[in-house]
Structure formats: structure tokens, C-alpha cells
Amino acid sequence: MRKVSLLLVMTLTSTAYAQQRPVKNDAYHYKIEKTITASRGAVVSAHPLASQAGLQMLQQGGNAVDAAIATQLALAVVYPAAGNLGGGGFMVAHLKDGKNITIDYREKAPGAASRDMYIDASGNANTSLSQDGHLAAGVPGTVAGLFASLPYAKLTIQQLIAPAILLAEKGFAITEREAISLNRTQDNFKQLNTQGNAFIKATPWKAGDTLLQKDLAATLKRIRDNGKAGFYEGETARLIVAEMQRGHGLITATDLKTYEAKERTAVTFAYKKYNIVTMPLPSSGGIALQQMMGMVEKYPLHDWGFHSVAAMHLMIEAERRAYADRAKFLGDPDFVKVPVKQLTDPAYLQTRMQDFDLKKASVSTAVAAGNIYESKETTHLSVMDNEGNAVAVTTTLNGGYGSKVVVGGAGFFLNNEMDDFSVKPGVPNMYGLIGAEANAVAPGKRMLSSMTPTIVLKQGKPYIVTGTPGGSTIITSVFQTLLNLLEFNLSAQQAVDAPKFHHQWLPDEVYVEPDFDQTPLNGLKQMGYKIVPGSPIGRVELIRINGKGQLEAVGDKRGDDSAAGY
């Protein structure tokens, strides 16, 4: 077990929330646990305080769904760049009775949205409007998703939300990463907000500063006392609508009141001796993951070896083809007919690889979407309990701090998910993804997502729970993490921390993390690949059952991610 201590806030126990007080920057510390081994239950998320909130619910007799709900609520307080009440997400769960469930609480376009709302008089896409400010916000789904998850939990919403309320009301000390993030976004906060808020500060934020969020605490209390209506109706809804009116956004009281989360049928498929359970549309992740794993399954990846030129070449070409299909075919299934069965048919997947050349790179301009005939800010959490329940949840505001707009008087950021629509066919979004008519803006439509919360079953029982943030890199990061475990036999920590690579069809380049070994990259260059070094990719949260039947939980080294268990 590796422990990293930060001199920031108090050492946490399961009862620490009741004792927490606003602190100065040098008063207390807490521990970020990157890897833990547990026997009864484990939670891993983007922040140690959130993971501890989930663990607290397990220790109080809750199950994995309870822990997931409490962790999400705490993330809305301690991780404002991505944890949220004003965004949306997906939950994938395997329950102890063997049932797989998925809950879609992706944001929706407001009722007043229109197909060409981000296109100017000259016919050009104005992506600044879809990425920053009030017009970028879709109708939030997170709170509805939490209440749609609640029937599968054991505890009450009053118990599950209590840690989040205390963290918002009493404050917590921010980490160095959080201080840097808040400081570099100050200008956006000041330019795009109509009222002051907890995140705007006259002097620079520094590690150990206390973040107090009284308005957010009041919003959480309204949810505690009034349930889903405490967000989508009443005072909170009034504050959201007032914010929209001040900033010329589109979300109305009707949009809020009529929003519903939806249970959908999970994407399930076999990969060798394992069964994969992941998210269906409007997540593109589940379909793309099934496609990529289906394309590589017959090849001897294990023999080729981890990060060998041959293995990376194959995986990149599978990524290229899956993302080409994503761009053309995928969208909200409530609005467009998507040929899911054909896209995931094994015979179709083999035809997609017919032009795969073992010795050279393909060219994306020559790799179109397949022929089908038919009449960067997000956060992930993983939970397992000792009853046989496993939960993977990915939620998002889309970009860091979403639209950068805080709802005046309510204390939370609104998303900028409207940019995940294809604002104009062929125009890339903030992550460089190309879209087509299937993902065009329409009133009430859910925008396509890359979020890929995933569970792997072994002999019908939970074996791996994983997922990651990372925009367009989410799907490829989950793909590589699974192969790191299932093919290359890496340890759980190695599978999470290993350098990642990414190809998304267009642009035609392989994006790699800065610490990638140059030897395979040189081999790929000789095959014709354009290699583009970049910043870290994703923050994978993973739990795996080890050979002793214990829960191994790993928080990604790339952030303040932390595991908790008992």
C-alpha cells in the first residue's frame, strides 16, 4: 500500500465530517491513498474526501449504490471543476442478484434550442458560444440521476447527502492542484458570471486555503428536505432560471421540471472468458469499446506484449475505425435510429479490419465510416461492496468548470455540454471530435458522450470496475486499461498508471502522454504514424478482485485521486 500525505486538511476517519471546521492553510493534513487493499468494500474517486464519504456509507450498512451516491454528492463540493449538481452522467451497475442496470442522466438541450443556434450569419460555427457562458448549458441531469439510483440503495437521501452538506458549510482545505486550477480560471469566472461567488478571490488561491460554499450548502439542504423537487422546482429552480435570464441562456422552469433520468439496457458483450457491462447510447463509449475489443480479439496481443509496436499498431487501427463510425452514426437513440446491432456485429467488425496492414499505418482520409445497410472536464468513481454489487459512475460538466457560470445564490457550476452536439456537421468540438447529423442540436435531445463507465464480470461475478474522465480520450483509456489487465497481465496499479495513447480518426495523429517510452514510438513513426506528445490523459479509477479475493482499489497518479476501503 502506498500512502501520500498532503499537509492540507484533517486526517479523515469515518466520523471526521462531524468534527470538521474551517481551517488555515497549515493546520491539518489528510491522506491521499493511491492504492489500497480491502476485504469488505472499496471506493475510488477523484478526491480523498469524496472517497471517504462513500466509505462512510458502506460502514453505516449501505451498499455500493449508497456509496456511489454519497461520493457523487461530495464530489460536487470538493471537486468543483468536474464534480457537480449542474451537469450529468451515467451509472452502470451489476447488482448482487445478477441484474445489470444503467441510468442515463445526461444533460438535454433546452426546449428553446435549435439546430443552427451556434452558426453565425456567414454560416460559420461560433464554438465560443457552445463552450463558455450561459448559452453553452444544457438542462442538468445529475440530481435526477441520483434519485433514479436511490431505489437500488439502502440508506436515505438524508444520510447520503450529510457529508456533502458539512463539507460545503464548514469548508475544506484545497490541494495544490485545485489552487492552480482555480487561479488559471479566475478571468473566466469574472467575465462570465453575473454575480459574485465562492470561487472568485481577490488574491491567488493557494494550497491549504479553505473553500467555503454556503450557497451550495443551502442548495444541498433543499435537496435533502424536498428530494428531486428541491432542485428542479422551488427556490433552486427559480435561481437557475433567474441566472439564465441575466446571462441570456435558454433553460426554463419547464425544462427543469420535465427533466427525467432514464434507465436503459446495458451494452453487454463477451471478450474471451470475460463479460463486459458498459453504457449504451447516448454514450458512444459502450458501442465503441465493444467495437474496438471485437476488432482486436483474434490477434495475439498477449504474445506481442505490452506497448510493443505490433500491439500498439493494432490498437490504434481499431481506435481509428471505431471513431470513424462514431462520427457518422451515433447520437441520442430517442431522436435518431442508430444501427447498433450492425455496428457491433462480429462479422462487421472483421470487415472493418480487412484493410489492416501489419506493417504500416492506415490513413484516416482513406478510412471512412463503415457501410451500414438497414430498412476535458469529467470525473469517474468506482465502488464494490461485499454483497456482490459493483457500480461505475462517470459524471461531467464537460470542460473544466463547465460553462464557468455559477448559478447566483445556488453555488454550483452549470455545464457546457451543448458543445458535445455537432454544432455544425464537420466542425470539431472542444475535444476535436467530428460529428454529423445524428448528433445535431434539437430541443430536448441528449448530446452524444464519450463517458464509458464499465464493469468486467468473471464467471458472472464482478471482477473489474473502471472508468475515467478525459473527453474524447475516455474510450481509448478504458480500452487500454482493460487490455493492460486482461491481455498484458499488468498489476492494477500498473494498468492505471501506464502511459496512454490515443487516436480518434481525425485529426490523423497519435496523441501520447509525456512519459511514453520512445522505443515503440520510433517504431510507429517508421510505420507512418504522426506522433504528438501531449499532456496526461484521463484519471482512471479502478477496482479489481485480486487472486486472494480481496478488493484492490487504485486512484490515478495523474490527480488527487484517492481510494478508500475497509
Side-chain angles (χ1 to χ4, degrees), residues 166-187:
L166 278 170
L167 286 165
E169 195 164 47
K170 302 298 183 182
F172 67 97
I174 64 172
T175 68
E176 182 178 2
R177 280 190 177 93
E178 290 161 345
I180 292 170
S181 179
L182 287 167
N183 287 333
R184 70 180 176 219
T185 322
Q186 283 295 300
D187 289 344

Side-chain angles (χ1 to χ4, degrees), residues 15 24 52 84 142 156 162 177 187 209 228 233 276 297 377 389 392 424 444 468 470 499 566:
T15 59
K24 298 299 182 181
Q52 286 288 341
N84 67 82
T142 292
T156 66
R177 280 190 177 93
D187 289 344
D209 281 348
K228 179 187 169 188
E233 302 177 50
I276 314 296
E297 186 173 10
E377 189 75 14
N389 301 297
K424 182 181 179 182
T468 183
Y566 76 127

Side-chain angles (χ1 to χ4, degrees), residues 519-538:
T519 301
L521 298 185
N522 289 336
L524 291 172
K525 289 177 183 177
Q526 291 174 4
M527 299 178 79
Y529 287 104
K530 178 183 178 182
I531 306 298
V532 179
S535 56
I537 294 174

Side-chain angles (χ1 to χ4, degrees), residues 266-279:
V267 170
T268 58
F269 62 94
Y271 182 81
K272 299 186 176 178
K273 64 181 180 181
Y274 305 97
N275 288 303
I276 314 296
V277 184
T278 187
M279 193 69 201

Side-chain angles (χ1 to χ4, degrees), residues 492-533:
Q493 185 172 343
Q494 288 171 332
V496 170
D497 290 347
K500 304 294 192 299
F501 57 91
H502 172 73
H503 197 293
Q504 61 182 46
W505 183 49
L506 294 174
D508 191 353
E509 57 193 30
V510 182
Y511 185 93
V512 298
E513 291 193 284
D515 55 346
F516 217 102
D517 182 1
Q518 287 300 310
T519 301
L521 298 185
N522 289 336
L524 291 172
K525 289 177 183 177
Q526 291 174 4
M527 299 178 79
Y529 287 104
K530 178 183 178 182
I531 306 298
V532 179

Side-chain angles (χ1 to χ4, degrees), residues 79-90:
Y79 190 35
N84 67 82
L85 298 181
F90 301 131

